[in-house]
């Protein structure tokens, strides 16, 4: 919660978990929903770390080679557009799709680190 001080969030969290089962109806489905959300956050963080690791291994990220599975010859996107998307996600963060969309609309070649779209 960006508008709450961290100490208040920690205090609320403690009360929520201590009293929730006894005071909230539908506790089990709520806990399952929280667990799914937490798992999604972990998965997003792991994907983002993989993207960062890939970019960090490259001497020149704009020269990233995109490898396609066999049978992908009829893909609708070019390697340049896929590279732009990958490097833009590496720069702005996985899941920030509105920002990615904004940068795509802004156009230009390359993208990501050192690209024309910074």
């Amino acid at each position: 919660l960006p508008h709450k001080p961290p100490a208040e969030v920690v205090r609320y969290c403690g009360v929520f978990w201590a009293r929730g089962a006894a005071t909230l109806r539908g506790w089990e489905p709520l806990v399952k929903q929280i667990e799914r959300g937490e798992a999604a956050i972990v998965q997003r963080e792991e994907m983002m770390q993989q993207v960062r690791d890939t970019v960090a291994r490259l001497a020149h990220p704009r020269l990233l080679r995109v490898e396609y599975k066999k049978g992908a010859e009829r893909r609708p996107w070019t390697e340049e557009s896929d590279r732009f998307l990958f490097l833009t996600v590496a720069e702005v963060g996985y899941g920030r799709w509105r920002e990615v969309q904004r940068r795509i609309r802004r156009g230009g070649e390359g993208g990501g680190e050192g690209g024309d779209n910074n």
Side-chain angles (χ1 to χ4, degrees), residues 35-52:
E35 289 171 346
R36 284 192 304 271
E38 292 293 323
I41 290 169
V42 168
Q43 183 182 28
R44 185 173 43 245
E45 289 170 353
E46 288 172 351
M47 284 190 277
M48 194 60 218
Q49 189 58 52
Q50 290 174 355
V51 169
R52 282 191 213 101

Side-chain angles (χ1 to χ4, degrees), residues 20-105:
T23 59
L24 295 174
R25 278 183 270 162
W27 175 252
E28 289 302 321
L30 185 59
V31 169
K32 289 185 188 315
Q33 182 179 359
I34 291 168
E35 289 171 346
R36 284 192 304 271
E38 292 293 323
I41 290 169
V42 168
Q43 183 182 28
R44 185 173 43 245
E45 289 170 353
E46 288 172 351
M47 284 190 277
M48 194 60 218
Q49 189 58 52
Q50 290 174 355
V51 169
R52 282 191 213 101
D53 291 347
T54 298
V55 172
R57 284 193 303 268
L58 300 170
H60 303 286
R62 292 185 69 194
L63 300 178
L64 171 71
R65 297 279 306 150
V66 179
E67 295 183 24
Y68 299 98
K69 293 180 181 179
K70 185 176 179 177
E73 298 85 21
R74 298 171 52 120
R75 64 188 180 276
W77 309 107
T78 64
E79 183 174 1
E80 292 81 20
S81 61
D82 286 342
R83 181 181 310 107
F84 175 85
L85 179 61
F86 185 85
L87 294 176
T88 300
V89 168
E91 186 177 334
V92 303
Y94 184 89
R96 297 193 57 215
W97 306 123
R98 290 204 190 275
E99 177 62 18
V100 171
Q101 182 182 45
R102 187 180 69 75
R103 290 182 185 216
I104 289 170
R105 285 185 175 154

